[in-house]
Amino acid sequence: MGVYILKRLFLIVPTLFGIMLMTFAVIQFVPGGPVDQIIAQLTGQETDATARITGGGGGDMGDASGDSDASMHSAYEGARGLDPDFVKELEKQFGFDEPAHKRFFKMLWDYIRLDFGTSFFQDRSVISLLIERLPVSISLGFWTLVIHYGICIPLGVAKAVRDGTPFDIWTSAAIFIGFAIPQFLFAILLIVLFAGGNYWDFFPLRGLTSFYFDDLSTWGKIKDYFWHLVLPIAAMVLSGFAVLTMLTKNLFLEEISKQFVLTARAKGLTERRVLYGHVFRNAMLIIIAQMPGALVHILFTGALLIEIIFSLNGIGLLGFEAIVSRDYPIVLGTLFMFSLIGLVMHLIGDITYVLVDPRIDFETREV
């Protein structure tokens, strides 16, 4: 297992390099960058006008006989009439005064030192923004994962034991109805019903803590924190019950039908001992090994709409806002962290397989 872990750790480096290279290359061709947005604001144009830039910053200015100032900076369509020196200063300010390959390798060197640069529009270091937003995303991801596994695994086992009974049929109908409801729609419904919409005003709508949080006692802070989590977590967990519950049920049914279970029953073991002493370990292999990947999914992608709807300043919302505003340091910094954490979590998932069932040996196969 040690050799396999070392191989996977070494593979993280080229994988991260490839991800960052492709993303950086794509960004070079995306129109409407920060320089274009500043120019659009100064010239009184709509920000969307920057989307007319061709080739991500290059293209025909239209009139080849235009004034010389504009021709010097034909990369920016909205720059007609602006002082070329001013445009050069903008390029230097945002780091676009050097060739792309130099900027890319400088970025990699900075990332090795965990220096993700400074946000173009928030005048703060990217790492400080990530640290500030991370607790919100971790809160949503961790408690959602706990509730998912805490409910779905026992429910899946109960459905497997009662396969075909009314309990199995009605619970299947309930979880699939929940699965069919879009997450954002259920979140809006919860706000309308319970957060001061048109009916009751039981739960807070914004943030994970109240403005008077620091003045509360320790127990008061705990209650305030979980009270703010009720609606966002409820919206996130509803659609996730079906997949995990049915996976647990099917895995248990598959294991229950195997010969070793019949042998255990023939020896006179109780049904509880058979289920949790023999079936559980084999049935839980896939489910337990999926936990790290599931956490990454919930942490960085699944919570995006919930963070937007409930005004929660998490990592997902930070990355989304950065993409919209073309704040490239945040975009690349969050992508780097997402990719690194995702790769590490996948490795942890493989290690979890071995911890659950020592018979698995990844070193006997190629990575």
Side-chain angles (χ1 to χ4, degrees):
M1 189 63 184
V3 175
Y4 174 77
I5 293 175
L6 288 176
K7 288 180 179 179
R8 289 289 298 269
L9 289 174
F10 282 124
L11 282 175
I12 287 177
V13 176
T15 303
L16 280 176
F17 179 84
I19 292 172
M20 300 309 297
L21 177 61
M22 288 189 292
T23 307
F24 187 86
V26 169
I27 282 178
Q28 306 310 304
F29 297 96
V30 174
V35 176
D36 303 297
Q37 294 192 38
I38 296 297
I39 290 174
Q41 293 175 10
L42 292 174
T43 56
Q45 304 175 48
E46 294 293 333
T47 303
D48 290 344
T50 60
R52 295 195 299 269
I53 305 165
T54 59
D60 183 12
M61 287 294 294
D63 184 5
S65 61
D67 61 280
S68 59
D69 286 353
S71 65
M72 291 178 64
H73 288 279
S74 59
Y76 306 104
E77 184 177 339
R80 284 192 178 95
L82 291 179
D83 185 351
D85 292 333
F86 174 73
V87 179
K88 287 182 179 179
E89 283 296 321
L90 284 178
E91 291 177 338
K92 184 176 181 180
Q93 176 183 345
F94 291 107
F96 296 130
D97 56 329
E98 295 182 350
H101 68 279
K102 288 186 178 181
R103 287 187 280 121
F104 176 71
F105 285 108
K106 180 181 181 300
M107 179 191 74
L108 290 183
W109 173 244
D110 290 339
Y111 280 18
I112 292 174
R113 297 176 294 151
L114 295 181
D115 179 7
F116 300 132
T118 303
S119 168
F120 285 160
F121 303 111
Q122 300 191 44
D123 195 28
R124 292 180 58 188
S125 67
V126 175
I127 191 67
S128 67
L129 289 170
L130 290 174
I131 293 174
E132 179 183 287
R133 302 289 188 96
L134 195 57
V136 176
S137 295
I138 289 178
S139 294
L140 292 176
F142 175 78
W143 292 114
T144 299
L145 192 70
V146 168
I147 294 174
H148 268 161
Y149 278 78
I151 294 178
C152 293
I153 291 179
L155 180 58
V157 174
K159 287 173 64 62
V161 174
R162 299 172 177 82
D163 185 39
T165 64
F167 171 82
D168 180 37
I169 295 172
W170 285 107
T171 53
S172 294
I175 62 176
F176 279 111
I177 289 174
F179 180 74
I181 299 176
Q183 192 178 78
F184 74 91
L185 183 61
F186 188 63
I188 294 174
L189 178 63
L190 289 176
I191 291 174
V192 171
L193 291 177
F194 302 112
N198 295 325
Y199 297 92
W200 301 283
D201 189 7
F202 293 152
F203 298 98
L205 180 58
R206 297 176 179 272
L208 285 186
T209 57
S210 302
F211 67 90
Y212 50 84
F213 181 80
D214 292 335
D215 299 328
L216 297 174
S217 63
T218 301
W219 177 241
K221 290 180 179 179
I222 294 174
K223 290 194 297 182
D224 184 73
Y225 167 73
F226 282 106
W227 198 242
H228 281 76
L229 278 175
V230 171
L231 294 188
I233 296 299
M236 290 182 65
V237 301
L238 179 71
S239 61
F241 285 147
V243 174
L244 187 56
T245 300
M246 297 309 296
L247 178 61
T248 303
K249 174 190 173 182
N250 292 334
L251 289 172
F252 260 79
L253 287 176
E254 181 181 352
E255 293 297 322
I256 289 173
S257 64
K258 291 183 177 179
Q259 184 63 41
F260 76 91
V261 176
L262 298 177
T263 303
R265 286 171 173 166
K267 289 181 178 180
L269 297 180
T270 64
E271 190 67 16
R272 183 180 182 85
R273 178 70 181 275
V274 172
L275 286 177
Y276 296 101
H278 295 271
V279 175
F280 188 81
R281 169 178 286 189
N282 293 335
M284 289 295 101
L285 266 176
I286 296 177
I287 294 175
I288 293 176
Q290 284 182 339
M291 289 182 67
L295 178 60
V296 172
H297 173 74
I298 295 172
L299 195 62
F300 299 127
T301 58
L304 173 59
L305 285 177
I306 299 302
E307 289 178 5
I308 294 174
I309 293 172
F310 288 96
S311 301
L312 302 173
N313 292 322
I315 296 292
L317 182 58
L318 176 67
F320 174 76
E321 292 173 342
I323 292 173
V324 172
S325 64
R326 302 294 196 273
D327 200 335
Y328 295 146
I330 294 180
V331 173
L332 292 169
T334 53
L335 177 67
F336 179 83
M337 291 301 298
F338 292 172
S339 302
L340 178 60
I341 294 175
L343 291 170
V344 172
M345 284 297 186
H346 280 298
L347 176 58
I348 293 175
D350 288 345
I351 297 174
T352 306
Y353 270 114
V354 178
L355 295 177
V356 175
D357 190 348
R359 296 171 298 177
I360 297 177
D361 185 7
F362 287 102
E363 292 183 8
T364 60
R365 68 178 181 86
E366 295 293 331
V367 179

